């Protein structure tokens, strides 16, 4: 149920043009200050996660680990990725809520 809401919300953010896909583009959005949150898939490689977390922490950008695999993210946003960034504070807040609720369920 929570994953379905998260799928829908990620799709909505994508259609609104508020998601950035992939490691390099996410790093660029963090450094420009447009990223409100970095999203990592649950099966993102340790090396990628470690590198993106370091960059996000240096730039004080929030990091959220989604309860979704790369395949599930691909289903939601039509692109299979392990790293994304959200460039809108409203979408970021809602995705954080959905992620935290999913972890508690």
């Amino acid at each position: 149920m929570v994953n379905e809401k998260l799928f829908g919300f990620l799709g909505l953010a994508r259609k609104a043009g508020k998601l950035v896909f992939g490691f390099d583009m996410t790093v660029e959005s963090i450094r420009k200050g447009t990223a409100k949150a970095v999203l990592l898939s649950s099966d993102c490689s340790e090396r990628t996660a470690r590198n993106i977390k370091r960059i996000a922490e240096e730039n004080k950008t929030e990091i959220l680990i989604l309860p979704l695999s790369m395949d599930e993210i691909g289903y939601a946003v039509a692109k299979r990725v392990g790293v994304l960034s959200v460039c809108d504070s409203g979408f970021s807040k809602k995705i954080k809520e959905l992620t935290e609720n999913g972890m508690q369920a």
Side-chain angles (χ1 to χ4, degrees):
M1 170 92 166
V2 173
N3 279 358
E4 289 176 21
K5 287 183 180 179
L6 191 53
F7 282 149
F9 216 77
L10 286 172
L12 187 61
R14 178 188 174 274
K15 288 177 186 171
K18 301 299 182 183
L19 289 181
V20 173
F21 303 99
F23 183 87
D24 293 336
M25 295 300 289
T26 295
V27 168
E28 185 177 323
S29 71
I30 292 169
R31 290 196 171 136
K32 284 183 178 178
T34 58
K36 304 303 179 199
V38 173
L39 310 177
L40 298 175
S41 68
S42 60
D43 59 348
C44 182
S45 77
E46 286 183 37
R47 179 178 173 203
T48 299
R50 183 176 58 246
N51 289 335
I52 201 75
K53 283 177 182 178
R54 179 182 47 79
I55 294 165
E57 288 169 0
E58 287 171 1
N59 290 276
K60 296 177 177 53
T61 304
E62 186 171 27
I63 302 160
L64 301 172
I65 299 174
L66 299 176
L68 304 172
S69 68
M70 284 191 266
D71 290 333
E72 290 170 321
I73 291 171
Y75 175 77
V77 299
K79 185 165 178 119
R80 186 179 185 274
V81 292
V83 178
L84 310 102
S85 63
V86 183
C87 298
D88 180 86
S89 57
F91 281 116
S92 173
K93 181 180 175 184
K94 185 63 176 176
I95 290 169
K96 181 179 180 179
E97 285 176 20
L98 291 171
T99 301
E100 288 173 351
N101 289 342
M103 296 296 187
Q104 296 170 0

